[in-house]
Amino acid sequence: MKEILKNIKLGQIIGIYHFEDSCFTVGKILKIDSKYLYLLSYDVNFKEDGIKVFLIDSIKRIILKSDYIEKNQKKIVRFNRENKDIFQELIENRIKISIDLADGSVEETYFTEKRENYLKFQVLDDNENITSEEVIAKDYLKRIKISNFIEKEEYKKFKLITTKNDDEYMAYDLSYNGNYLIFLEKEEFYDIAQINIIPKNMIESISEIEVKLDVKKENFNDLIDFKRDLDIVEILRRCLENKFLIFIDNADFFETKVGIIINLEDNKIKIKEIDKYGNFYKNSKIYLDEIQLLAVKNYKFMERDYEKKI
């Protein structure tokens, strides 16, 4: 990949698949050195959402053509649930959605028809071509999921929805549409929420949950001189000094490590990790040569009592 990257101009927008999974990053190249690729990262709506640093030797797949990237930008859903039937809106606006099925499979589809006991979909391949038209029984459909841009910068209180098959969703802004529950499931520290639609008869319980962390959305890029400071150690130092949220990944990690840096040494860092409910729960040490992907998100942790919450 070094040979490919050295021929790419700074400022070009590229896509990178993370390791061997389906996670995908789109970003503008800021710098390429002998070891790392530095990207200005974009979310699915092409809004800046921080900086990502990739270990070049860990990169296995790069998307170079910007028309491919533009084609795969997701359509944003905006609707008024009080005035419109969301199912009809999905049909009228031909919104691409994901559906989770009882057999564990996930399909990208267009929704075409809703009846009392079944729904109709057009199933898409990776290039968004229709491969089949399918009728799916209502009780075989676990979830419909739609990406949606959320204007709010932060959130604190959630409902925890538990289903009869033990799925959990941290949800807010709940409403009902006939036999379906509709809610927003905001991904932690992203401005992208998933609109979820699940059958009411799948719900086991709905309970309260509160995030205790005190965070503020702030642009990390304002702290960095792109011509002088694009060095992984310098970026880590700025994150330590300003308590910015980081994501660190490695193909061998069981899961991505998410949290804030509390110590930086010559060859390792110490971070406070955050659990899926948005609260500190353990300390971890990570050696710098373990970092295959470093993502700095535009969220800053405030001073107040955060050391006591672990």
Side-chain angles (χ1 to χ4, degrees):
M1 289 299 181
K2 288 182 181 178
E3 290 298 314
I4 298 297
L5 288 170
K6 74 179 184 180
N7 294 317
I8 300 178
K9 295 180 180 179
L10 297 183
Q12 180 171 331
I13 296 175
I14 63 172
I16 293 179
Y17 281 91
H18 305 176
F19 313 124
E20 297 179 0
D21 59 22
S22 59
C23 295
F24 183 64
T25 288
V26 175
K28 181 168 67 177
I29 297 176
L30 298 173
K31 178 183 175 181
I32 304 169
D33 62 25
S34 60
K35 195 172 181 179
Y36 297 105
L37 166 68
Y38 299 79
L39 292 183
L40 178 62
S41 177
Y42 298 114
D43 64 22
V44 297
N45 300 302
F46 266 59
K47 290 187 63 178
E48 295 179 10
D49 71 347
I51 288 177
K52 288 187 179 178
V53 183
F54 291 87
L55 181 68
I56 293 174
D57 287 344
S58 72
I59 298 173
K60 306 301 181 185
R61 186 176 177 188
I62 301 175
I63 307 301
L64 299 175
K65 293 289 187 180
S66 60
D67 57 349
Y68 176 94
I69 295 169
E70 291 171 4
K71 181 180 178 182
N72 283 275
Q73 291 183 54
K74 297 180 180 177
K75 189 172 183 180
I76 302 170
V77 182
R78 300 185 186 281
F79 65 94
N80 185 339
R81 278 180 263 170
E82 295 180 357
N83 298 328
K84 294 196 68 174
D85 184 334
I86 184 173
F87 292 99
Q88 189 59 35
E89 185 161 353
L90 291 174
I91 295 172
E92 292 175 358
N93 292 289
R94 202 162 175 76
I95 304 296
K96 187 174 78 169
I97 61 176
S98 295
I99 57 173
D100 294 8
L101 302 177
D103 61 9
S105 62
V106 179
E107 301 284 358
E108 298 293 315
T109 69
Y110 293 129
F111 177 65
T112 59
E113 186 178 347
K114 173 178 174 284
R115 294 294 180 95
E116 183 176 353
N117 296 316
Y118 66 84
L119 300 95
K120 286 186 177 181
F121 300 91
Q122 293 176 330
V123 179
L124 309 175
D125 63 17
D126 290 341
N127 295 315
E128 299 188 13
N129 299 313
I130 297 171
T131 60
S132 64
E133 297 192 13
E134 302 188 16
V135 178
I136 298 176
K138 184 175 69 174
D139 59 4
Y140 197 70
L141 182 71
K142 290 173 56 180
R143 172 171 65 157
I144 294 174
K145 184 171 67 174
I146 315 155
S147 291
N148 191 50
F149 179 67
I150 298 301
E151 299 288 349
K152 300 183 206 176
E153 292 187 348
E154 58 185 84
Y155 55 101
K156 295 289 183 182
K157 293 184 178 180
F158 296 93
K159 304 284 188 181
L160 181 64
I161 299 172
T162 304
T163 67
K164 292 177 180 177
N165 52 14
D166 295 325
D167 291 328
E168 285 188 351
Y169 304 108
M170 292 177 64
Y172 66 102
D173 198 10
L174 286 69
S175 64
Y176 290 95
N177 187 306
N179 293 321
Y180 294 89
L181 172 66
I182 303 173
F183 60 90
L184 295 179
E185 181 191 22
K186 188 173 187 298
E187 296 186 20
E188 281 295 323
F189 307 109
Y190 290 85
D191 287 332
I192 301 301
Q194 308 294 335
I195 300 172
N196 286 262
I197 306 172
I198 62 175
K200 284 196 298 186
N201 60 13
M202 285 181 55
I203 299 170
E204 180 70 30
S205 64
I206 300 177
S207 56
E208 299 281 348
I209 187 170
E210 185 173 356
V211 175
K212 298 182 178 66
L213 292 179
D214 191 0
V215 297
K216 176 184 178 183
K217 192 171 183 193
E218 194 167 303
N219 194 345
F220 179 77
N221 299 347
D222 293 341
L223 302 176
I224 293 290
D225 184 332
F226 288 164
K227 294 182 179 179
R228 185 187 63 189
D229 298 330
L230 283 181
D231 171 84
I232 190 167
V233 175
E234 183 61 29
I235 290 172
L236 292 169
R237 182 176 293 111
R238 298 293 178 91
C239 291
L240 168 63
E241 294 170 351
N242 296 279
K243 298 184 177 63
F244 268 84
L245 177 74
I246 63 168
F247 290 61
I248 294 178
D249 218 338
N250 181 297
D252 295 328
F253 287 174
F254 177 72
E255 60 184 359
T256 304
K257 297 183 183 299
V258 182
I260 62 167
I261 301 173
I262 56 175
N263 191 34
L264 172 61
E265 299 180 11
D266 291 338
N267 64 341
K268 64 178 179 288
I269 61 173
K270 185 177 181 180
I271 72 170
K272 277 189 183 297
E273 288 195 58
I274 297 169
D275 65 18
K276 67 178 181 178
Y277 301 114
N279 298 311
F280 291 119
Y281 76 112
K282 69 176 181 179
N283 292 343
S284 297
K285 290 182 180 179
I286 303 169
Y287 288 89
L288 298 190
D289 59 11
E290 292 182 290
I291 300 175
Q292 295 180 347
L293 167 61
L294 166 66
V296 182
K297 286 293 178 181
N298 292 326
Y299 283 88
K300 180 175 182 177
F301 288 79
M302 310 309 289
E303 295 281 357
R304 187 179 61 199
D305 292 337
Y306 82 92
E307 288 285 351
K308 300 177 183 178
K309 292 175 182 174
I310 186 170

